[in-house]
Every structure is written in structure tokens, then in C-alpha cells.
Amino acid sequence: AESNGSAVQCADSAHWNVERGRAEMDEASRNNVWEVTHVKKLPDAERALAMLRELKLHVDPLLGARGFRVQKLYEICCCTAGGKDVRIGGFCCPAGDGRTSRRIALRLRAAGSHVLLSFDHCLKVLIHELAHIVQGNHSAQFYAAMDELGRQYAQLREKGMLLDAASFPMSGGGAPDTAPPQPTG
């Protein structure tokens, strides 16, 4: 009778481990940006949304590697409530667990003109805001965390672990070599 009980317990344990593994996998799959939103009423609204989606593609592997998550990534502008202070490039509202941002706001446009800023500028601001998930103020520890995130992002990109919108690896920073192959002699 005990061996039957033991077998049931083992089966239950195996089932629990499978369920636990799924829960951990589900948890890991949430280590990314969950939602992006843009200001629809502004010029080039679709380009702004495309930039937010591209930013998401760039930071999702970094978030996954760090176990971070951003529940909402959204655009602020000089004409929206959160963007009136034009000196601010973005802000982060961390959840307080050292892993989660409830929301990160980014200024994608120049104040007044609403001209879209460069992708590289917005990515740097986003990495800055990601550092606020673990360091609230602009201390030496904050800048060390921001530098570490920047280095880790560069490493992930170099290893081809970032995917573009077509799911092709992004690596390096240069354009592909399109010169015809030269014969070796």
C-alpha cells in the first residue's frame, strides 16, 4: 500500500514540477515590454508607434536577460499631461520590486515642432529609464547600473540576440557587405 502511495506522490510531484516549469516559463515570457502606446493626434503618429515597437524589439532581450519587465511604454509630448516639462526626456514609474516598471514614458518628439527625434537618442533615454527600475535617484549607483545596461545591450546586439521587425538578427552596427566576393589566389 505504501508503494502505491509513493507512486502517487511521485506522480503528483512530477505533475507539480511540470506545472511549476510552465509557471516559470510564463513568468520569464513576461520579462519584456507588455504594451506600447503613442499620441495618435500628432503628425507622424504611425511612425511614432513604429519607433516604440522598434524600441521594444531592441530592449526585450535585455529585459529578458535581466528579469525586468515594463508594463507600459508610451509616448509623452509637450502637449500631453506627462510631457509639459520639456526638459525631461522620459520617466520611469518603478513598482518597487527591483524588476518591474509600471510604466516608462518617452519623449519621441522635439518640443513645439513635434518632429520625431532620432531612434538612437530615444534608445539611450529608454536605457536610462530602465536603470530607474533598480536605482531611483541619479546617484553613482544609478549611473553604474545605466552603464551596465548599455554594455549588456551592446553585447546582446553583437551576439545577434536582438531581432528586427522581420525577426532577423541585428548584429554589429555596420551595413552588410554587398561587395562581390573576390577570388582567392
Side-chain angles (χ1 to χ4, degrees):
E2 272 189 25
S3 73
N4 285 342
S6 179
V8 170
Q9 184 179 11
C10 288
D12 286 344
S13 295
H15 177 71
W16 180 83
N17 287 334
V18 168
E19 290 303 312
R20 181 175 175 208
R22 282 189 192 129
E24 288 173 358
M25 189 171 67
D26 288 346
E27 181 71 16
S29 70
R30 296 178 62 79
N31 294 332
N32 58 16
V33 175
W34 297 0
E35 174 187 3
V36 297
T37 60
H38 66 300
V39 180
K40 295 175 185 167
K41 66 181 181 177
L42 293 177
D44 293 325
E46 290 306 311
R47 284 184 52 218
L49 180 58
M51 184 184 299
L52 285 169
R53 288 177 176 155
E54 183 77 11
L55 288 164
K56 175 188 173 0
L57 285 173
H58 277 254
V59 299
D60 275 353
L62 180 59
L63 296 174
R66 303 289 294 210
F68 289 178
R69 60 185 58 150
V70 175
Q71 293 174 343
K72 183 176 184 180
L73 175 63
Y74 66 102
E75 178 183 14
I76 57 171
C77 178
C78 59
C79 57
T80 62
K84 300 259 185 234
D85 185 348
V86 296
R87 298 169 298 165
I88 295 173
F91 59 85
C92 175
C93 297
D97 62 0
R99 295 180 27 170
T100 307
S101 172
R102 296 195 193 289
R103 60 189 185 277
I104 291 180
L106 289 180
R107 183 176 308 282
L108 301 180
R109 303 163 187 274
S113 70
H114 298 122
V115 172
L116 288 170
L117 300 170
S118 76
F119 178 84
D120 288 339
H121 171 81
C122 294
L123 180 62
K124 287 177 186 173
V125 173
L126 179 53
I127 289 173
H128 173 104
E129 298 308 330
L130 291 175
H132 282 301
I133 294 173
V134 292
Q135 293 292 328
N137 60 11
H138 292 121
S139 63
Q141 292 87 359
F142 167 83
Y143 287 105
M146 186 178 76
D147 290 344
E148 184 180 331
L149 286 166
R151 282 191 301 275
Q152 190 172 14
Y153 168 81
Q155 289 170 349
L156 290 169
R157 184 174 176 127
E158 278 301 314
K159 291 178 181 176
M161 296 180 74
L162 304 180
L163 302 180
D164 65 17
S167 296
F168 288 106
M170 294 182 267
S171 63
D177 183 7
T178 57
Q182 299 297 317
T184 56

